[in-house]
Amino acid sequence: MRAVVIEKYGVVPEVREVPQPSVAAGSVVLKVEATGLCRSDWHGWMGHDSDIVLPHVPGHELAGTVAAIGAGVEGWQVGDRVTTPFICACGSCAECASGNQQVCPNQLQPGFNYWGSFAEYVAIPYAQVNLVRLPDELDFGTAAGLGCRFATSYRAVRQVGKVSPGETVAVYGCGGVGLSAVMIAAAAGARVIAVDTNPAALALAASYGAAETLSTTVGVDLAADVTFDALGSNDLVQQALRALRPRGRHVQIGLLPSGVQLDVSRLIGQELQWLGSHGMPAHAYPEMLALVANGNLNPAALITRTITLDETPAALAALSNGTPAGITVITP
């Protein structure tokens, strides 16, 4: 099969022929119909993830059709249209038993622990607990984004941040995760303030429901009930924490490979909450898919660019210069 292969960190990868993944017991192999280009893929390419072993094929948010089924996987057939969380949980540990597959200690992640979806085929381990059946009316490009950015934002907004109608929400960083959070928070009835230095991203945020757009909140008193760092930046974290009213909630979604400094005295004195949010388990998808089906959420609107596998290496490298507005989808 053809795949994007990273040989050295920070060096533009190449598209070449590699062996197709074999199907193991408990797993399936998917024909990749669409996969998203995400900033997490850039972090992996830059060497920020210790799980990656070179050479490596990135890609972790995907949708496709079942091409092969391993022993022990029941209820699925070749040709079924599916997506999967980027966190493939084991399904048998204590966290999985409690419904918290997103923090499974035995999790495997395509594009990080093993070769991912910037390829024509990808393996999905623990398939019985990770496959999500796609409605016929949901196209593969839109479904690919559900596996990471949109689903991650959905859980961060609705289940971790617990955003409610009438609250003021500030979203810092309007890439794919941030724009998804803007749309989801606005649909939940919140007043959303979108913060980004990219005017094109802010324009999209306004079209997805942001009541106000800002290039910075330094010196601005937002009195936000909830803030989200959807990019991963020490500077944005500081802005977000300063923007919170007393007893406000901050949700950290963006990765912080260089760490972060916190004013713990303010965290204590104002009784602020710092919350982490990491993906969403497969069993939680039906609630989100129902809101997509009834038009309450429109993740298809987030897609602003579709590229080929051959265009992917350059697009991945270009993320070093900033994240383009909207979501980029790759069609292998």
Side-chain angles (χ1 to χ4, degrees), residues 47-207:
H48 297 161
D49 194 301
S50 60
D51 290 329
I52 291 176
V53 177
L54 299 180
H56 182 69
V57 176
H60 64 284
E61 53 178 12
L62 61 110
T65 53
V66 176
I69 302 173
V73 179
E74 300 178 353
W76 299 95
Q77 297 181 349
V78 171
D80 282 348
R81 304 172 72 252
V82 300
T83 187
T84 178
F86 74 93
I87 297 165
C88 292
C90 73
S92 58
C93 68
E95 293 298 343
C96 287
S98 70
N100 292 303
Q101 285 92 336
Q102 76 282 353
V103 290
C104 169
N106 307 314
Q107 64 184 258
L108 295 173
Q109 298 181 16
F112 298 99
N113 301 105
Y114 68 98
W115 284 14
S117 56
F118 287 6
E120 294 175 318
Y121 292 88
V122 65
I124 302 299
Y126 312 125
Q128 200 68 52
V129 293
N130 291 302
L131 291 184
V132 177
R133 195 177 302 276
L134 293 177
D136 291 339
E137 61 273 15
L138 190 65
D139 67 273
F140 285 115
T142 303
L146 298 182
C148 176
R149 282 171 280 191
F150 200 81
T152 293
S153 293
Y154 185 85
R155 184 170 180 279
V157 171
R158 300 292 291 265
Q159 297 163 6
V160 176
K162 297 182 179 179
V163 170
S164 60
E167 288 192 308
T168 296
V169 170
V171 177
Y172 289 80
C174 292
V177 171
L179 289 173
S180 299
V182 166
M183 179 185 289
I184 295 162
R191 176 179 177 270
V192 182
I193 301 166
V195 187
D196 200 288
T197 57
N198 183 346
L202 291 179
L204 286 176
S207 72

Side-chain angles (χ1 to χ4, degrees), residues 28 74 142 155 236 261 277 279:
V28 300
E74 300 178 353
T142 303
R155 184 170 180 279
L236 293 184
Q261 293 179 331
S277 190

Side-chain angles (χ1 to χ4, degrees), residues 8-71:
K8 294 182 179 180
Y9 293 125
V11 175
V12 179
E14 63 179 28
V15 178
R16 69 168 190 249
E17 292 285 335
V18 298
Q20 185 173 318
S22 58
V23 64
S27 74
V28 300
V29 170
L30 302 183
K31 182 180 184 295
V32 180
E33 303 290 351
T35 181
L37 177 64
C38 179
R39 179 151 290 274
S40 296
D41 300 312
W42 177 86
H43 279 293
W45 172 64
M46 290 296 291
H48 297 161
D49 194 301
S50 60
D51 290 329
I52 291 176
V53 177
L54 299 180
H56 182 69
V57 176
H60 64 284
E61 53 178 12
L62 61 110
T65 53
V66 176
I69 302 173

